[in-house]
Amino acid sequence: ETGVTQSPTHLIKTRGQQVTLRCSSQSGHNTVSWYQQALGQGPQFIFQYYREEENGRGNFPPRFSGLQFPNYSSELNVNALELDDSALYLCASSLWGQQASGLDTQYFGPGTRLTVL
Amino acid sequence: LAKTTQPISMDSYEGQEVNITCSHNNIATNDYITWYQQFPSQGPRFIIQGYKTKVTNEVASLFIPADRKSSTLSLPRVSLSDTAVYYCLVGSGGATNKLIFGTGTLLAVQP
């Protein structure tokens, strides 16, 4: 069973540029969530995709957008990069409805470290 | 989702049992308590989830008192490799299975 993978591992961009981060879900999972983790903080929820549709969004501006593909892989796009966008971006996949609690176990990838100069 | 409060950091020694307590005074009836572990430069990893009383798996135990306003994650006989940040989360998923993380507890295990 292949776990969640993310690419690239590291990325350096300058202010105003655009970036695309990629995520491959764990086999059999149909839901992908993206999180932003600043240094010393816990991950912050950006948005979630279920069956290729956005299924919830955190407090992030529209320049953060995403896609989920038929094979359940996903992309996170960030336009007009700002210095504060420097962070570790985590992708997590899950199987909808897996847990009776409604809070399905999410399996995280290793993240993409984005640095904006 | 209910807000959680947990210690910023804890120290322990190899072989000891470690208990990390999380306070969640505003927990809702449908909320579950979930703990994740995060090593440096890695994504968080699910440890355990529970609703009430006690839950145990091969990694940890979770103790939840009757009023559910707090919970304790217990790690038996920790080793150096248990050094990590531990997050307590409270919620019930709902329409979006989003996880709300706090700042977590940094557990440092010494030899």
Side-chain angles (χ1 to χ4, degrees), chain B residues 26-90:
Chain B
N26 297 322
I27 190 169
T29 303
N30 295 333
D31 286 343
Y32 279 68
I33 299 149
T34 310
W35 286 80
Y36 278 77
Q37 172 194 55
Q38 185 176 25
F39 298 111
S41 299
Q42 293 187 27
R45 182 176 72 113
F46 172 87
I47 301 175
I48 198 166
Q49 184 180 90
Y51 184 80
K52 62 181 179 180
T53 63
K54 177 183 174 182
V55 179
T56 298
N57 61 23
E58 63 278 5
V59 176
S61 294
L62 179 59
F63 298 92
I64 306 168
D67 67 5
R68 304 199 327 121
K69 293 184 183 298
S70 66
S71 59
T72 299
L73 174 72
S74 181
L75 305 172
R77 296 183 299 281
V78 294
S79 64
L80 296 176
S81 63
D82 291 316
T83 294
V85 177
Y86 293 82
Y87 295 97
C88 166
L89 295 84
V90 174

Side-chain angles (χ1 to χ4, degrees), chain A residues 3 5 17 30 63 65 82 88 90 94 103:
Chain A
T5 60
Q17 285 189 311
N30 55 16
R63 58 188 186 85
S65 63
E82 302 177 359
L88 180 68
L90 296 161
S94 57
L103 205 56

